[in-house]
Structure formats: C-alpha cells, structure tokens
Amino acid sequence: MRFTPITAGSSGSTGTGPFGRLVLRGVTVVDGTGGPPYGPADVVIERDRIAAIVSAGRNTDMSQLGLRTGTADEVLDLPGYYVLPGLVDAHAHIGWAEQGPDADYIYRLWLGHGITSVREPGSLGNGLGFTVREAERAERGEITAPRIVPYVAFGSGTSEPIRTEREARAWVAEQAENGARGIKFFGAAPELFAAALEEANTLGLGSACHHAQSDAARANASHTARWGLGSIEHGYGLPEAMFTDRRIQHFPGDYNYNDEHDRFAYLGRLWREAAEPGSRVWEETIEELVSLGTAIDPTLVVYVAARDAARARGREYHRDYSAPQSWKFFQPDPESHGSFFFDWGTEEEVAWRENYRLWMAFVRDFHLRGGLLTTGSDAGFIYNLYGFGLIEELELLREAGLHPLEIIRCATANGARLLGLTDTGTIEPGKIADLLVCAENPLTNLKLLYGHGHLRVGANGAERVGGVTHTIAGGVLHDASALRARVRDQVAAERERLGTGVPSTP
C-alpha cells in the first residue's frame, strides 16, 4: 500500500496562557518521582514553569492555604482533584492520511489524554522535514499539539543504499543538521549499524531499534546495546539474545516474512524459544542491559489484539473516537501494515497469551533490577487508537506486576529521561509545567484516565466518570474534555462526509 502524507496541524492554539501566575488550588499531587501522593496543595505556575508547591496538612482550611500563594492571573479551585506530570508517549507516530483525517485529530487525542511529550520514532511516511516543522510549530505554540521529539529511520531519504561505514556516519551527521533528535533502526549490516550508532552518540542524538525478525539473527538486542543503543522498542531482539539451543528462531520451511499473518503468528511463538525466566541466561541478559543503560520501551499495547482480536475490535472508544480512516486501516487487509487478522484463530491467540506471560515477566524483572522502563503506544495500528493506547499501556504494565506509582514514573520521569527532556517529567519547582489534572484518583483505577471514561453504577444508575479534565503543556492550559469533544465532532463529520456510519465489526 502506498501511504499519503497527513495534513499538518492547523495554525493557532486552542489553549490559554501561559499566565503570569496560574494556581491549581487544593489538589493532590502525584509528582512522578515514585513518591506517594500528597495534598492538599497549591501548584503555582509562572509562565511555563512550576514556581512553587505549597502543601499543608490534610485538614488545613483551604482559604488559608490559598492566602499563602498570593494573587494570581488564573485560579482553578480543584479540591479533591489529582495532578500528575504530563504523560510521555515514547513511541508515537503522527500517522498517515490513511490512519486519520489530519494531524489535529491525533494531536487532540494525545493532549486530551494528558500526553504532553511524544517521540516520533522514524518520521515514516510523512518524512523528517514534516516532523521537524511540526515539532518547531508546537514548540512555538503555533499549533495545538504536545512537544514532539523527531527521530528518523536509518537510511531513509537516500537515492542509493548505505554501503560503507563512512556513508553511515555521513548520513547520521546529515540528519542531525536536518533537525533529527534521534535515529530509528530496524536492522542493518552490523558494521553499518555500529558505525551509525557511534556517530549518533558522538553527536548527542538518541537511538531506538525495532529489531526486525529479518535482521535479528545478525544483530539482537544484546549486540546493539553493546554498541550503544538508546532503547529497545517492542519485544523484538530480546528473546533472540537469550537463545540457548539455536541462533535463529525456528521458522517453518514455508514461512514468509512478507506475509503478515506468518510474521505475527510466529512472533507469538518467539518468547517460548528463549531461556526460561530466572535462568542464568535470562538474568545475565537483564544485568547487561541495565549496566549498559539501555532502555526498554515495550509498547505492550500494540500487539495485545493478537491475544484476543474480538476484544480489541470491540473497544468501547471506537464508537465515538475512531475516525473512518482509522477504522478502515484497522480492518484485515494484506496491504495495511498491522492489519493481519486474515484468519486469526484460537491457536494464534493461545500462543500470544503465553508470549505475553513471558514478555511481561522480562519487562517486570528488568524494571525491578533498575532498568529504564518507559511507556509507548505505537498507536494507529492493530485497533490501537491515539491517546487511548497509552492508557492501555499503563494498564498492561499493571498486569505485568508494577505498582501504579511505578507505572506513573515510567510514563513521566522515565520517558522524559529517555527523550533527553531534563526539565520536565516530574512536578517540582523549576520544572516546565507539563501536567494533567483528573477529578478522581487514577492510582486506584487507571481506567479513570481513558478519554471515554469509566463505567460506574452510582445513585443515578450507570454513568461515565473520569477522563483527564485539564492538560497543561508548557504552561498553556488546555480543556482536555473540550479537545475530546472536538474529536468526537470531527469523527461524526468525517463519517457523514464519507458515508461510513458508526464502526461495525466484520
């Protein structure tokens, strides 16, 4: 399938501010450091920075607390509300025109879920120039979008393949001049891969790798970590680093990597071919990755449909938030990447459930041993929608065994560290004011962060509760509920324009 570049974000910000002084009054703070919640507190924001956090005892008279923060241009009285650092989606593609009506649709879904920073790993389809321009426009406040950190896919934009180490280094240097903040690899000849990584590290660029099965036999996650790789994306490359009785995954003789049913069916059998959890090889692999400082950005959510395709097709949010372009792209189609459910049955799903058990065990053990674990969604593929996907990623880390406070740290402070954003990721004086506000405590139920809310039965019967109420990005205040409402209106208008109606499963 040939992909069409997406329409850029519309000029103009729908947010307000930054303010001379903005006060979030009476909130409970989850600061992203891993520390427990505290409050009530006033979070004082001056322009784009957190100026102070004025905290008091639980039973403090709120009027007295307010007096201690002084006057403000804007005050949000938020007793009982929770404030968290803005979320970081470390694997977030802007997408193509085949995946959404325009970039605004994607940006609003990100901000509408409290996502204030994203790493665009590869700038695929739209090109590095597009991503860099959108990143610059977002930084200047010219569009309603999170902070964008643009990476570029290794070797892209060349008329001839890269054949020598010198060419690899020159290509990396050129991308740095063009505005790339990092390089995304899928695999390459080992000498070219290592040379490109060395040059990227010399120039201060980030790096990430989706260890494609077509190249993992000659460069697995252990190899690339030793060469200086910044982050391992998805779960590829890790099992191959722990093979003990083989060097290559045991594909059947009639396997075809270009047939995505084959590719993803046998990806679901990969982890069982590796060393067992707790074994010497398992432990040594984790210890080496931790010691080398290589991060893991697992994107568990992007493949979760493989263990229960019907559940993924029926996600509640598709009704109101999946644009017809997105929904069409999700449907089984050999020409659409990730739309591999051509004949997806019980055997494939059972294999993937076991795959997840082992994969999650590795992610948990890596985290427990001090590894840098981050959160990414890779949304736009496999019934996984922008914004919503990152919240499900948090839920999947909970399933893997992480405490909610650890998960929030992975999604904020750890993500900022991976992206090289040293002045955001936690709620501390002096940090950039990248925050999300929600009316209830997401530590008790991560579903409260979903844009379509959480179903709860109360005195008035079943109702939707939750959802981020405000997103503050660089001191600019966004009404997250209004952003999501604009998405719903846009989706409805697109369905009417295209005559598609509400999504229905095949």
Side-chain angles (χ1 to χ4, degrees):
M1 182 174 184
R2 208 169 162 165
F3 296 110
T4 309
I6 202 164
T7 302
S10 299
S11 296
S13 172
T14 59
T16 55
F19 302 89
R21 173 174 273 203
L22 166 66
V23 177
L24 311 181
R25 180 153 293 162
V27 299
T28 299
V29 176
V30 180
D31 64 15
T33 67
Y38 64 89
D42 283 3
V43 178
V44 182
I45 299 166
E46 295 179 353
R47 303 300 297 173
D48 65 340
R49 299 275 170 171
I50 300 169
I53 304 170
V54 182
S55 183
R58 181 175 181 180
N59 297 317
T60 296
D61 183 332
M62 295 307 299
S63 64
Q64 294 301 309
L65 178 62
L67 289 173
R68 292 167 57 188
T69 60
T71 60
D73 300 299
E74 184 78 13
V75 176
L76 299 182
D77 286 308
L78 300 168
Y81 282 63
Y82 280 71
V83 176
L84 285 69
L87 302 178
V88 178
D89 192 329
H91 196 119
H93 297 291
I94 294 175
W96 305 295
E98 288 76 14
Q99 294 172 291
D102 53 34
D104 289 330
Y105 167 75
I106 297 165
Y107 299 158
R108 289 167 185 155
L109 283 172
W110 282 339
L111 285 172
H113 284 87
I115 297 168
T116 55
S117 297
V118 301
R119 178 175 61 161
E120 219 296 6
S123 303
L124 301 168
N126 299 305
L128 177 62
F130 173 90
T131 309
V132 169
R133 287 191 297 273
E134 291 293 272
E136 292 172 346
R137 296 174 72 207
E139 191 68 25
R140 293 192 296 263
E142 295 174 1
I143 56 175
T144 300
R147 180 184 295 105
I148 301 168
V149 178
Y151 278 39
V152 61
F154 180 62
S156 63
T158 58
S159 57
E160 296 290 335
I162 295 172
R163 294 188 174 91
T164 68
E165 294 178 34
R166 182 177 179 179
E167 291 175 352
R169 294 177 186 276
W171 180 90
V172 170
E174 182 181 4
Q175 306 316 305
E177 291 179 1
N178 291 338
R181 296 277 296 280
I183 310 299
K184 166 73 173 296
F185 296 88
F186 291 88
E191 64 277 10
L192 302 183
F193 200 144
L197 266 179
E198 184 176 54
E199 186 70 14
N201 289 330
T202 298
L203 296 174
L205 299 181
S207 58
C209 185
H210 166 152
H211 293 81
Q213 291 162 294
S214 53
D215 263 299
R218 58 179 180 171
N220 62 44
S222 288
H223 298 132
T224 56
R226 292 167 195 155
W227 299 338
L229 181 69
S231 68
I232 298 162
E233 304 300 301
H234 316 306
Y236 306 96
L238 292 166
E240 291 92 336
M242 298 187 293
F243 286 165
T244 58
D245 62 347
R246 64 202 67 194
R247 295 290 299 278
I248 299 170
Q249 184 180 358
H250 284 189
F251 299 111
D254 59 352
Y255 175 91
N256 182 351
Y257 180 74
N258 287 347
D259 180 334
E260 289 208 342
H261 183 281
D262 277 6
R263 185 188 308 182
F264 288 100
Y266 284 91
L267 177 60
R269 292 161 170 78
L270 178 57
W271 278 90
R272 72 178 70 178
E273 296 190 27
E276 295 182 357
S279 66
R280 178 184 59 81
V281 172
W282 177 281
E283 296 296 334
E284 288 177 351
T285 301
I286 291 176
E287 289 172 9
E288 182 176 35
L289 292 175
V290 173
S291 68
L292 291 170
T294 310
I296 293 180
D297 185 42
T299 69
L300 294 160
V301 63
V302 74
Y303 302 119
V304 76
R307 66 179 189 177
D308 192 342
R311 179 178 180 274
R313 284 194 295 268
R315 285 169 171 142
E316 292 175 326
Y317 57 70
H318 287 310
R319 177 178 178 86
D320 294 324
Y321 291 96
S322 284
Q325 296 89 342
S326 304
W327 188 249
K328 180 180 179 182
F329 189 83
F330 292 150
Q331 302 315 305
D333 184 347
E335 297 299 316
S336 296
H337 174 54
S339 302
F340 54 82
F341 299 105
F342 318 141
D343 186 16
W344 201 255
T346 303
E347 296 305 309
E348 288 83 2
E349 291 189 350
V350 169
W352 265 100
R353 288 171 195 146
E354 175 64 6
N355 210 46
Y356 264 87
R357 184 185 71 81
L358 297 168
W359 184 11
M360 286 178 163
F362 190 91
V363 167
R364 181 195 63 237
D365 288 356
F366 173 81
H367 168 74
L368 291 175
R369 283 155 183 75
L372 183 64
L373 181 65
T374 58
T375 57
S377 67
D378 199 9
F381 303 94
I382 321 179
Y383 296 102
N384 172 26
L385 196 61
Y386 310 98
F388 292 91
L390 190 67
I391 308 308
E392 187 166 354
E393 181 75 359
L394 308 188
E395 287 199 281
L396 289 165
L397 287 178
R398 186 73 185 98
E399 182 182 336
L402 276 67
H403 186 278
L405 283 171
E406 295 176 306
I407 295 167
I408 297 303
R409 187 179 184 185
C410 290
T412 56
N414 287 7
R417 178 179 164 191
L418 176 63
L419 273 58
L421 305 174
T422 58
D423 52 2
T424 189
T426 58
I427 302 178
E428 299 176 89
K431 291 290 186 77
I432 288 178
D434 289 339
L435 309 168
L436 70 83
V437 180
C438 47
E440 299 194 43
N441 183 1
L443 298 176
T444 64
N445 181 5
L446 292 166
K447 293 184 187 300
L448 292 166
L449 293 172
Y450 279 115
H452 67 304
H454 167 62
L455 188 64
R456 178 186 293 162
V457 175
N460 299 318
E463 59 181 350
R464 290 278 171 182
V465 299
V468 174
T469 61
H470 302 84
T471 300
I472 301 171
V476 175
L477 178 65
H478 298 274
D479 183 331
S481 299
L483 287 171
R484 297 193 302 271
R486 291 191 69 174
V487 170
R488 292 194 300 271
D489 291 344
Q490 183 181 18
V491 167
E494 284 294 299
R495 288 174 182 163
E496 183 176 358
R497 181 177 72 86
L498 298 173
T500 59
V502 176
S504 59
T505 57

